[in-house]
Amino acid sequence: MVSPAPHPGIEILSQNDPTDHALAAIASILDQPDSHREPEKAAVEQKQVNPGLIEAEGYSKVGPGPMAAIRFRWTARRENDGEYYVDETIGESSMPIVSGPFTRDAAIKFVDDRQSEAQGRFDLLKSEMTGQGAGATSSTRKDGGEI
């Protein structure tokens, strides 16, 4: 049963829909004044370091997000055979998805690329949710379907 929503064009599917609560939590985080967001922006702007200076064993990056339970982490590790693998986890206690084998430099690049891709997707979603992104002005795809 669809109930009327307080905003035209928005339908509330269920009063108990957990998705509504998750979206409300994300929206409340995004509605904070800009002064609270400055540290986040500073943390994102990282300088590229020469991979030759980085120790690949234990090299790790964490993806963006408001909750640790859904945040990605990529960690490089070295096996006894000298090859590197990258463990990708979601949250604190998930089973890792293992990628590899890699060379030392390739493992570092894989971790950096995955974190960069996740940050890009997060920034796009955030800008669309706040109405600041290019995709926020249209809710129709090129093929005519709804987003």
Side-chain angles (χ1 to χ4, degrees):
M1 178 175 172
V2 176
S3 59
H7 302 288
I10 297 176
E11 296 177 3
I12 298 175
L13 300 177
S14 166
Q15 295 296 333
N16 296 324
D17 186 357
T19 305
D20 292 339
H21 297 289
L23 291 173
I26 293 169
S28 69
I29 291 167
L30 296 175
D31 285 340
Q32 294 176 2
D34 286 337
S35 63
H36 290 93
R37 291 192 207 166
E38 288 305 317
E40 176 186 336
K41 290 179 183 177
V44 171
E45 297 173 8
Q46 299 175 0
K47 292 183 179 179
Q48 287 291 346
V49 179
N50 181 352
L53 302 176
I54 297 173
E55 174 60 41
E57 174 69 26
Y59 183 73
S60 182
K61 288 210 173 173
V62 178
M67 297 181 287
I70 59 172
R71 203 170 290 137
F72 284 84
R73 175 181 294 273
W74 301 273
T75 305
R77 62 182 166 80
R78 185 176 181 183
E79 288 292 311
N80 292 337
D81 62 2
E83 304 229 280
Y84 289 87
Y85 294 84
V86 175
D87 295 331
E88 180 174 19
T89 56
I90 302 171
E92 300 287 323
S93 59
S94 69
M95 292 294 295
I97 297 171
V98 180
S99 299
F102 296 108
T103 63
R104 182 190 150 289
D105 290 343
I108 293 170
K109 182 177 180 344
F110 184 83
V111 169
D112 289 344
D113 289 350
R114 295 294 284 205
Q115 194 278 334
S116 178
E117 291 167 8
Q119 184 67 51
R121 287 190 305 269
F122 180 78
D123 291 343
L124 178 63
L125 175 63
K126 187 170 137 181
S127 67
E128 287 176 353
M129 289 180 69
T130 59
Q132 298 171 358
T137 58
S138 173
S139 62
T140 306
R141 296 186 314 222
K142 290 182 181 179
D143 63 3
E146 289 187 14
I147 295 177

